[in-house]
Amino acid sequence: MKRALLIPLGDHRPFYEIYSKIAIKAYKNIVFCLILAFSLLFALSVNAQAPTGYSLAWSDEFNTASLDTTLWKYRTGVAGTSYLKPENVVLENGKIRINLKKETYGGKAYTAGGIITKTPRRYGYYEVSVKIDGGYGWHEAFWSSWKSGFDDLNPAYDNMDKLEIDCFEHYADYANNYYTYGAIQWSPFTGNANRDYKTVTENLSCAYNVFGFEYTPDYLNYFYNGQLVKTVDTRKLPSHDLYLWLTCIANKPNATDSGAVFFDYLKCYEISPANYNLRKGPFIAHLDSLKLPLHSAAKDLWIEAEDFKNKKNWTKELDENMVVLKGYTQRDASRDSTELTAVTGIKIDSAGNYKLWVRSRDFTIGPGTRKFKVILNGQQVPGEFGNHGINGYAWQSAGTYYIPQGTTTLKLFDSSQNFARCDKFLLTGDTSFIPVGIGADSNVQHVAPSGSGEPFTPGNLVVLRIGDGLTALTSGNATSVFLDEYTSSGALVRSISMPVATTGANKRLTLSVSAADKTEGYLSRSPDGKFLALAGYDAAPGLAGVSTSASATVKRTIGIVDAEGIVNTSTGLNTFSGVAIRSAVTSNGTDIWTTGGNNGIRYTTLGSATSIAITTPTARCLNIFNGQLYASTTATNLRIAQIGTGMPVTAGQTMTNLPGIATASGSPYGIYMADLSSAVPGVDVMYVADDGTNALSKYSLVGGTWVLNGKIGTATDLYRGLTGKQNGAEVVLYATRKNSGLIAGGEVVSITDTTGYNVNFAAPQVVLVASAPTNTIFRGIALAPDTITAQTFSMLRSPIKAPQEKAAVLRVFCSNGSDDLQIVVTSKTKLQGPLRIVNLITRNVVYTGNLKTEAEKSSSIINVKNLAPGYYSAAYTTSLGLIYCKFSYQ
């Protein structure tokens, strides 16, 4: 919720935001007409100050021998480095003089003074004529407050909105031709409604000058010697009666010894409703014009920073007539980055390319030092914000990004810890659009950040990334982990962060990096296409030596992520003690195999704290192809090995090196197998990523032996992560490579092999898909979990593991062109409960109702009106728990 700021009139320094020349030119005619209108409304000079339409309601010319205490009260008490005394306020020669003295009183080294009106007023025009002292250390002001003094303890103030208006203030730090002005909101928000300054040609200590402010329900005008300085929007600011204060205090411990401030008069004017209706039009038109243009020619998403779901230690504050987020005000280099990072999720209805704009504040004093960074879907936006060099708020371009449908995660990182301020963001589909002014009001829905259950897009890639991009990687330290979803062409879709804090059953999952060891952080997809698996440490970011930690204190965590983006890190094992955990694979989301730097290959189940060592030799990357568990390794006389038969779960399994694969050389990591020959049963072509001289190699199974069909790349390519997909006789491979520990983060590349079975690589082109951002490293890669192939796939989700549950199955069948769905439940017992069907893309609930089934098999027909083509989930809550099914409707 933002307000317009000001109006440029006269030849004084303009305080409005400076935007592009194109944007300013678009408003040339508007501003010209407004200035012309203002010139007709004002009849101002130093001798006749009241704006047109106002009439004098009350004044004090200070022509009496003493202060009229029926109209005024003395301000007393401590302020700054002084104590305010009534004796320091004297009337003489038609002026009120406030004496400033270096004398000890009330525990302070200086005395000063001030007076406050006893009768409050609300809307009107108020002005004083004043000659300041200008001595160093003295602070002179004409201002207003909801209080009649700091001794005013009216209990009604506790529950009211509060506004202070400062017509002028002169501080000891500034020259005598410089003053500040503005309003401060104290409640419901605390902060500057607007603060600004003016540099004038006059020496304010040498003669009398006139300061005035016009307070109305719609706008607040500031005047200096009859000239309009600034217009501020008050339509959403607090409205209440004001007491007027004329004061001077000492605010420096080394102020000048003595002096005096002189006020010639205070005048209060009022305006009739009829005259105000005539007067207000141009001001309101100007304030509204600062918001234009509100929209581009395409889809615009306006995002207010103060609406973030999790603000962390950013604070919500009023500044320059707008609510903003303000960062830390005291730098602490040891402060955890999570404390400095506000986060939110934004609901996106339409996927596409969007340009990101950020509105931030910079200052004349210490320009470019109040900075912050922006992270969009896990990707740090280049550069920093709040360093645009304009005194006030301005828009900064942040680049163009592909934004997927669903939840986009937006983060603010307080990189400077120095009063950084962020107002709002714009995501616009019109990449040529330049936002002007404060922009439009918020039009987005803030939701929980991504990673809490948004489905993956079929056909996309998922890359395991170590590091948040904000801080440099430290060798051996536990580091945050992300799963970045990319399109196959390299557009970042979103990032899912692995937990860095224990939440319910979910444990932390972090990884370390090292210039010497790159065996951590590999990713696999289950053979049914529904789950991703990875492995890490139950440690907070920053823990030193995490890969050599004792597993009794730092458990090794297995992460399972399903096709809806739901993260499960409930599996924590006391194994691989003192060494790195490397990878994991699951066959169905429940059965898990994992390996590390010792303790062999192990079998466990989701949520378990124990595991079984099924082999003695250890491995690097695990995967399952055609119902068989495989591993890459550098164990003695092994490189690419078959683990037992099928997917073994018991101890004593044999690791058998694949025939034809060298046993004493090579440094293999990821493997991918395909079935390209109808003459060879099962998989018959294998690709191996190797960070040595074997690079990316191709093998074919010929007569029971794996025969090398050549390779692409060299040892310097450092191929490690590998996945692929088969399209008939064509194989498209995706690999991570060129990550060299702490120096280079690596890249994702694609290679299309059209040569087929037992034919050498024909020098296929290696296409760069994505590069790791600064301070991050790419490791594992897999295809995104797939909801498309889940049409009749079903599974049971329940914390109870009774044998009868495994017999409970839910399936959904549908007919094209019909809204009828057939629900089939198979169970050993009768079941009853609510059935809910949800569109997995829009997240809309399309059906709710109760369902009863009979034992063994029950079929029901339900009708869902206007069922749109797409992908759906059906959740059936019964006495056995939740039976869950995904299906497609085409």
Side-chain angles (χ1 to χ4, degrees), residues 373-393:
K373 297 180 180 180
V374 176
I375 300 95
L376 180 67
N377 283 330
Q379 178 181 353
Q380 182 179 309
V381 170
E384 291 182 287
F385 303 89
N387 56 353
H388 46 72
I390 297 169
N391 183 43
Y393 284 88

Side-chain angles (χ1 to χ4, degrees), residues 764-803:
Q765 182 182 5
V766 178
V767 178
L768 178 64
V769 175
S771 297
T774 303
N775 296 324
T776 71
I777 286 180
F778 283 165
R779 281 286 165 80
I781 188 169
L783 295 181
D786 193 347
T787 57
I788 286 181
T789 59
Q791 181 167 353
T792 59
F793 171 76
S794 63
M795 67 179 178
L796 182 69
R797 292 185 180 178
S798 173
I800 306 170
K801 293 188 177 180

Side-chain angles (χ1 to χ4, degrees), residues 256-331:
T256 53
D257 290 352
S258 61
V261 179
F262 296 87
F263 288 91
D264 189 15
Y265 63 77
L266 168 65
K267 296 180 180 180
C268 306
Y269 296 82
E270 294 179 351
I271 192 170
S272 67
N275 283 340
Y276 179 66
N277 286 334
L278 292 174
R279 174 175 173 75
K280 68 181 181 181
F283 295 105
I284 294 175
H286 165 72
L287 294 172
D288 289 342
S289 76
L290 293 182
K291 298 181 180 182
L292 300 174
L294 295 182
H295 298 287
S296 73
K299 179 76 172 179
D300 292 333
L301 301 174
W302 301 91
I303 305 163
E304 298 283 10
E306 69 267 19
D307 296 335
F308 266 44
K309 276 287 186 181
N310 190 341
K311 300 174 182 63
K312 292 290 185 174
N313 283 297
W314 288 73
T315 56
K316 191 174 177 178
E317 182 177 280
L318 190 75
D319 185 61
E320 290 290 331
N321 267 77
M322 62 199 68
V323 181
V324 302
L325 284 187
K326 185 170 80 172
Y328 269 106
T329 58
Q330 183 176 0
R331 184 164 184 81

Side-chain angles (χ1 to χ4, degrees), residues 35 76 98 101 190-191 204 329 365 396 449 483 621 652 680 693 712 844:
I35 294 174
T76 59
I98 301 177
K101 301 178 181 178
T190 300
L204 301 176
T329 58
I365 300 173
Q396 291 177 266
L483 297 185
C621 298
V680 181
T693 57
I712 59 172
N844 292 331

Side-chain angles (χ1 to χ4, degrees), residues 149-455:
F150 291 107
D151 56 347
D152 186 348
L153 302 179
N154 187 338
Y157 297 153
D158 294 337
N159 298 314
M160 66 179 287
D161 293 346
K162 307 175 184 72
L163 182 71
E164 169 189 323
I165 300 175
D166 302 321
C167 183
F168 92 90
E169 295 178 284
H170 181 264
Y171 285 89
D173 307 78
Y174 302 115
N176 291 341
N177 66 334
Y178 176 106
Y179 71 90
T180 67
Y181 60 92
I184 302 172
Q185 186 175 165
W186 294 98
S187 179
F189 299 106
T190 300
N192 294 325
N194 59 85
R195 299 295 295 180
D196 226 322
Y197 65 89
K198 182 172 175 60
T199 301
V200 300
T201 57
E202 298 85 359
N203 185 329
L204 301 176
S205 65
C206 293
Y208 286 88
N209 291 279
V210 177
F211 300 87
F213 70 94
E214 181 188 7
Y215 178 42
T216 80
D218 301 296
Y219 59 86
L220 173 60
N221 280 336
Y222 295 96
F223 296 92
Y224 171 72
N225 285 337
Q227 296 297 312
L228 179 63
V229 175
K230 184 173 183 177
T231 297
V232 176
D233 200 326
T234 59
R235 285 171 287 188
K236 294 183 180 179
L237 289 179
S239 174
H240 53 71
D241 290 343
L242 301 171
Y243 295 90
L244 305 174
W245 299 47
L246 309 179
T247 63
C248 184
I249 63 172
N251 64 358
K252 295 288 183 180
N254 55 341
T256 53
D257 290 352
S258 61
V261 179
F262 296 87
F263 288 91
D264 189 15
Y265 63 77
L266 168 65
K267 296 180 180 180
C268 306
Y269 296 82
E270 294 179 351
I271 192 170
S272 67
N275 283 340
Y276 179 66
N277 286 334
L278 292 174
R279 174 175 173 75
K280 68 181 181 181
F283 295 105
I284 294 175
H286 165 72
L287 294 172
D288 289 342
S289 76
L290 293 182
K291 298 181 180 182
L292 300 174
L294 295 182
H295 298 287
S296 73
K299 179 76 172 179
D300 292 333
L301 301 174
W302 301 91
I303 305 163
E304 298 283 10
E306 69 267 19
D307 296 335
F308 266 44
K309 276 287 186 181
N310 190 341
K311 300 174 182 63
K312 292 290 185 174
N313 283 297
W314 288 73
T315 56
K316 191 174 177 178
E317 182 177 280
L318 190 75
D319 185 61
E320 290 290 331
N321 267 77
M322 62 199 68
V323 181
V324 302
L325 284 187
K326 185 170 80 172
Y328 269 106
T329 58
Q330 183 176 0
R331 184 164 184 81
D332 180 355
S334 65
R335 189 174 282 132
D336 192 303
S337 62
T338 58
E339 299 178 55
L340 303 168
T341 307
V343 61
T344 196
I346 305 299
K347 203 72 174 178
I348 305 295
D349 295 329
S350 302
N353 291 322
Y354 288 80
K355 188 167 185 179
L356 176 65
W357 291 86
V358 184
R359 193 168 189 262
S360 60
R361 187 175 185 184
D362 203 351
F363 295 79
T364 300
I365 300 173
T369 61
R370 301 159 179 90
K371 299 178 290 186
F372 60 90
K373 297 180 180 180
V374 176
I375 300 95
L376 180 67
N377 283 330
Q379 178 181 353
Q380 182 179 309
V381 170
E384 291 182 287
F385 303 89
N387 56 353
H388 46 72
I390 297 169
N391 183 43
Y393 284 88
W395 290 99
Q396 291 177 266
S397 174
T400 301
Y401 305 87
Y402 175 80
I403 306 294
Q405 187 180 52
T407 298
T408 279
T409 299
L410 192 62
K411 294 182 180 180
L412 282 175
F413 175 66
D414 183 9
S415 53
S416 66
Q417 300 183 51
N418 182 34
F419 301 91
R421 290 175 177 85
C422 180
D423 175 23
K424 71 168 63 171
F425 302 85
L426 169 63
L427 284 169
T428 175
D430 183 352
T431 56
S432 64
F433 177 65
I434 301 174
V436 177
I438 63 176
D441 293 333
S442 175
N443 63 347
V444 298
Q445 178 186 358
H446 288 256
V447 295
S450 185
S452 57
E454 288 294 326

Side-chain angles (χ1 to χ4, degrees), residues 794-814:
S794 63
M795 67 179 178
L796 182 69
R797 292 185 180 178
S798 173
I800 306 170
K801 293 188 177 180
Q804 64 176 2
E805 286 190 43
K806 295 183 179 179
V809 176
L810 170 69
R811 291 184 175 89
V812 179
F813 300 94
C814 48

Side-chain angles (χ1 to χ4, degrees), residues 525 527 585-587 593 622-630 647:
R525 188 172 83 152
V585 66
T586 181
S587 59
W593 293 262
L622 300 177
N623 222 320
I624 299 170
F625 299 100
N626 200 30
Q628 176 62 53
L629 180 64
Y630 294 93
M647 293 178 285

